[in-house]
Amino acid sequence: MALPQGVIDFLNESARSNGAEQPGASDDLFQMGVLDSFALVDFVTVLEQETGISVPDGDVNPANFQSIEQIERYVESRR
Amino acid sequence: MKAFITGTGKFLPERSVSNEEIAERLGLQPEQIFKSSGIRSRRWAEAGTTTSSLAAEALRSALEDARLAAEDVDYLLFGTMTPDRFIPGSSPSVQRALGLREIPCLDIRATCCNALYALQVGKALVTSGAARRVAVCLAEIQSAWLDLSPQSGTISMLFGDGASSFIVSDEAQTGALEILDVHLATDGAYVDDLGIRCPGTEFGAKGAGQEGAGPADYFARMNGQSVILQASRKIVAACQSVLTRNSLTPADVRWMVPHQANANLLAQVARGLRFPTDRDGVVTVLEDTGNTSSASMGIALDTLRRQERVRAEDYLLLPAFGAGFTWGAGLCRATA
């Protein structure tokens, strides 16, 4: 499943403000500088709002949000 | 019955240690420390200084502010992670130093949430009638426990020494803060993500290198990413919880007086709460004090009160997060 446009927009804006390329599906968002620990917290909030899923605090770690593909798999697992 | 904060005090060691002074030893740049934490300098006590001696100075100031004498205190709470001794707690040393009566003296070990735990316990003691005037001391000498090497640079750059104090009383007086509510929570799954392992029964009690413990187990350790991710969400949730159950919203709060952990974390929390940013309402002191753990919220509160910026009916929100993990938020309202 594709992520909602609002989620993609957040990642693209974060990439732009950090001087990074727009991320592809399998790109490592943390290595690219699109996300860091603080940005991840904001990203998870957007993800919850846009997809309707609830992300437990224990799941808020980079391993679940390393790439767009991984995020898609995570969202699917929470539906 | 109601409970009020009727006096506050603080005490900071004289020696100020700048980022420039420690950056090279920590393998960092001075500006890098400031950007990632909001800290430019911290106070470090001279070798041989005891934590209780800082606490005693802060309590003297709080008693004076509350217009009380030492003999008026009928309960002492002392929150610290860096006690004078392994056993007993440090509160008896404060009791002796100030000449308090033979009252109950209780140490609290809830890390950076010590101020909130003391607020909750102090309120319970006063509203139950078990005590009328509870003295709370919050103090740390953390400089003695820091590994000043690049291996621990990103944690050792944060911490400073200092003390704060407040008086919880059953009688309101001019400028008092009514303690309305305190919300606290803990998740022990994160017990190893922030703290100092030794001495203790889990990793060895006798000395570095013995019984499986290594030298690093005697220094502060932190999984910074885990702390940021969990603190950002849990603090916001705690604030929302304490506000909601008191029929308030962040817009009703005039002052946020947080545990002074890291400027970026405080900004994240304010953003997460949608706390109004146009009125200078987040009280921060860590630029010149560093993170003083137990003492930090009280230092910020005392600084705010002595600036005489708090007005009657102002709501104050007091969020904190610490090793454990444990976290929470307190809510106070200024009286006339």
Side-chain angles (χ1 to χ4, degrees):
Chain A
M1 58 145 281
L3 292 172
Q5 191 56 42
V7 174
I8 300 298
D9 288 347
F10 179 96
L11 293 174
N12 287 340
E13 174 56 25
S14 183
R16 192 193 61 75
S17 63
N18 288 303
E21 298 282 316
Q22 287 202 354
S26 60
D27 288 334
D28 187 316
L29 299 169
F30 291 87
Q31 266 186 2
M32 289 179 72
V34 176
L35 292 178
D36 61 18
S37 299
F38 285 110
L40 178 57
V41 176
D42 291 333
F43 173 73
V44 168
T45 302
V46 171
L47 190 67
E48 288 177 323
Q49 289 167 350
E50 294 284 333
T51 64
I53 66 165
S54 173
V55 181
D57 287 350
D59 283 1
V60 184
N61 65 69
N64 287 322
F65 307 98
Q66 209 80 35
S67 67
I68 290 174
E69 285 174 346
Q70 251 173 322
I71 296 166
E72 288 172 346
R73 283 196 292 274
Y74 178 77
V75 171
E76 196 61 34
S77 76
R78 294 294 302 170
R79 285 195 190 277
Chain B
M1 190 180 285
K2 295 179 177 179
F4 304 88
I5 296 173
T6 56
T8 58
K10 63 176 174 292
F11 182 79
L12 294 167
E14 200 170 319
R15 184 181 167 215
S16 177
V17 179
S18 68
N19 290 349
E20 285 74 13
E21 194 174 334
I22 58 171
E24 190 175 343
R25 290 158 79 186
L26 300 179
L28 301 166
Q29 296 295 323
E31 201 56 25
Q32 181 186 1
I33 296 175
F34 176 69
K35 277 187 180 167
S36 59
S37 67
I39 297 165
R40 289 200 187 278
S41 63
R42 70 286 291 146
R43 304 294 185 92
W44 283 359
E46 297 299 332
T49 308
T50 60
T51 307
S52 64
S53 68
L54 302 189
E57 291 302 322
L59 178 52
R60 279 193 185 93
S61 175
L63 286 169
E64 188 179 341
D65 186 40
R67 296 188 287 279
L68 292 176
E71 56 266 29
D72 295 324
V73 174
D74 53 16
Y75 214 108
L76 175 63
L77 302 173
F78 190 168
T80 185
M81 308 189 297
T82 52
D84 293 2
R85 304 174 182 215
F86 189 63
I87 297 171
S90 300
S91 48
S93 299
V94 175
Q95 184 266 344
R96 183 178 178 213
L98 264 75
L100 305 182
R101 290 182 289 118
E102 294 179 356
I103 57 172
C105 291
L106 173 66
D107 275 40
I108 302 177
R109 298 193 64 211
T111 66
C112 296
C113 285
N114 274 335
L116 288 184
Y117 276 84
L119 209 57
Q120 188 175 64
V121 173
K123 179 177 190 258
L125 288 168
V126 165
T127 56
S128 68
R132 289 195 62 205
R133 294 176 183 116
V134 179
V136 174
C137 290
L138 304 151
E140 303 288 1
I141 292 185
Q142 303 177 110
S143 54
W145 304 90
L146 300 178
D147 173 18
L148 297 178
S149 76
Q151 189 181 357
S152 303
T154 54
I155 181 166
S156 296
M157 70 182 191
L158 297 172
F159 295 108
D161 304 337
S164 60
S165 178
F166 54 84
I167 307 296
V168 179
S169 171
D170 62 353
E171 289 177 320
Q173 60 187 51
T174 307
L177 305 173
E178 183 185 352
I179 305 166
L180 298 176
D181 200 357
V182 181
H183 171 88
L184 285 163
T186 302
D187 185 348
Y190 299 95
V191 73
D192 213 30
D193 279 3
L194 182 62
I196 299 175
R197 285 176 164 178
C198 294
T201 54
E202 187 174 1
F203 290 94
K206 290 184 177 173
Q210 294 185 31
E211 298 189 10
D217 293 324
Y218 288 78
F219 290 122
R221 62 173 58 225
M222 175 174 71
N223 178 344
Q225 198 167 59
S226 174
V227 171
I228 291 165
L229 294 173
Q230 297 306 317
S232 299
R233 285 168 63 91
K234 287 178 160 62
I235 292 173
V236 169
C239 289
Q240 288 167 334
S241 176
V242 80
L243 289 173
T244 300
R245 70 191 190 200
N246 287 278
S247 305
L248 297 170
T249 71
D252 297 314
V253 175
R254 179 63 186 87
W255 304 104
M256 191 194 298
V257 190
H259 159 52
Q260 310 282 303
N262 176 312
N264 297 322
L265 176 60
L266 302 190
Q268 179 97 18
V269 168
R271 199 163 59 243
L273 274 175
R274 295 189 172 84
F275 187 73
T277 55
D278 58 347
R279 56 188 193 193
D280 194 25
V282 181
V283 181
T284 56
V285 297
L286 84 172
E287 184 170 337
D288 301 316
T289 65
N291 178 343
T292 54
S293 297
S294 300
S296 81
M297 182 183 282
I299 292 172
L301 183 62
D302 183 68
T303 301
L304 174 68
R305 289 186 73 240
R306 287 173 193 272
Q307 290 170 341
E308 299 184 348
R309 297 163 71 196
V310 181
R311 300 286 172 262
E313 302 303 319
D314 280 358
Y315 284 102
L316 293 84
L317 184 62
L318 297 88
F321 182 92
F325 292 144
T326 185
W327 65 93
L331 182 68
C332 295
R333 180 175 53 208
T335 62

